[in-house]
Amino acid sequence: MYFFNSISEDVRSAQLTFTTHTKTRQLVLGALFASTAAVLQSAGGFLPGIGYFISPFATAPILFCSMLSLPLGLMSYLITNLLLLVLQPSELIVFPFTTGLLGLGTGSAFYFFKKRISIIGSGAILLTLGIVSLLYGFKFPVLGPGVSDTFSILMTGGVFLFSFIYNWIWVDIGLIFFKRLKLFFIKQ
């Protein structure tokens, strides 16, 4: 079945190859991913309207970096948060709990799990926890002003369903792009 296929063999071979690179090259690549994620996330503040369609793509650099190296992915996640503090502080509350957490969690899942359902599920759980903590813990209207900030099991289930489908799309897109980018970044 589709969800129970093992998908991480390509990723594991790329991770082993990536560890043979020098630390300088790895750090430069992590900084490149972090700066790309910060620019994409801050697009919502710099380009109102169309920027909100660009900012979800900030997941990709953190996802790819975490797929290559878990410590480097964590470093890129933290650097992106620091860059957002300077570039667009208003995005700093959204990125660590949604976009960045999804990329970091899904990329990390490639280290721990082999089955597609496990990778998608772990990323979906982290994204759900991030959205729920923003919505109910910080009372930040991340889903818009029409959504109540009082806890609801139905709303949490809806957020999890959305997170699962959204992460499923990111895992498949990430694998397609990763196979193409792997040839560029790993073979050099």
Side-chain angles (χ1 to χ4, degrees):
M1 290 184 47
Y2 176 77
F3 282 113
F4 296 103
N5 290 340
S6 181
I7 60 172
S8 56
E9 282 77 23
D10 289 334
V11 177
R12 293 203 195 282
S13 66
Q15 290 167 348
L16 292 174
T17 307
F18 185 74
T19 57
T20 63
H21 292 304
T22 64
K23 290 292 182 191
T24 304
R25 185 182 187 123
Q26 292 177 10
L27 289 175
V28 168
L29 187 60
L32 179 67
F33 280 132
S35 60
T36 304
V39 168
L40 289 172
Q41 183 67 34
S42 62
F46 290 131
L47 302 169
I50 193 153
Y52 293 114
F53 293 107
I54 297 172
S55 64
F57 291 106
T59 299
I62 303 299
L63 174 65
F64 295 146
C65 194
S66 298
M67 286 170 74
L68 287 174
S69 169
L70 187 57
L72 196 64
L74 181 61
M75 183 198 72
S76 292
Y77 172 76
L78 294 174
I79 289 174
T80 303
N81 287 323
L82 292 174
L83 286 171
L84 285 173
L85 183 64
V86 174
L87 289 175
Q88 195 68 263
S90 62
E91 292 291 327
L92 193 56
I93 194 162
V94 176
F95 180 80
F97 292 100
T98 59
T99 315
L101 188 63
L102 176 66
L104 185 64
T106 305
S108 301
F110 280 96
Y111 272 87
F112 301 113
F113 305 114
K114 292 184 177 184
K115 303 289 184 197
R116 183 181 307 263
I117 189 76
S118 302
I119 294 169
I120 294 171
S122 63
I125 288 170
L126 282 174
L127 182 60
T128 301
L129 289 174
I131 290 174
V132 166
S133 65
L134 279 177
L135 193 61
Y136 302 129
F138 293 109
K139 306 291 185 197
F140 184 78
V142 71
L143 299 178
V147 177
S148 174
D149 61 354
T150 57
F151 183 76
S152 166
I153 294 290
L154 185 62
M155 178 58 68
T156 304
V159 168
F160 178 74
L161 182 63
F162 164 77
S163 298
F164 188 85
I165 294 169
Y166 187 68
N167 194 32
W168 178 14
I169 293 168
W170 267 115
V171 166
D172 285 348
I173 289 173
L175 284 172
I176 290 168
F177 282 127
F178 185 75
K179 287 178 183 178
R180 293 179 188 217
L181 288 177
K182 180 180 75 168
L183 298 174
F184 178 73
F185 286 118
I186 303 301
K187 297 295 182 186
Q188 292 183 352

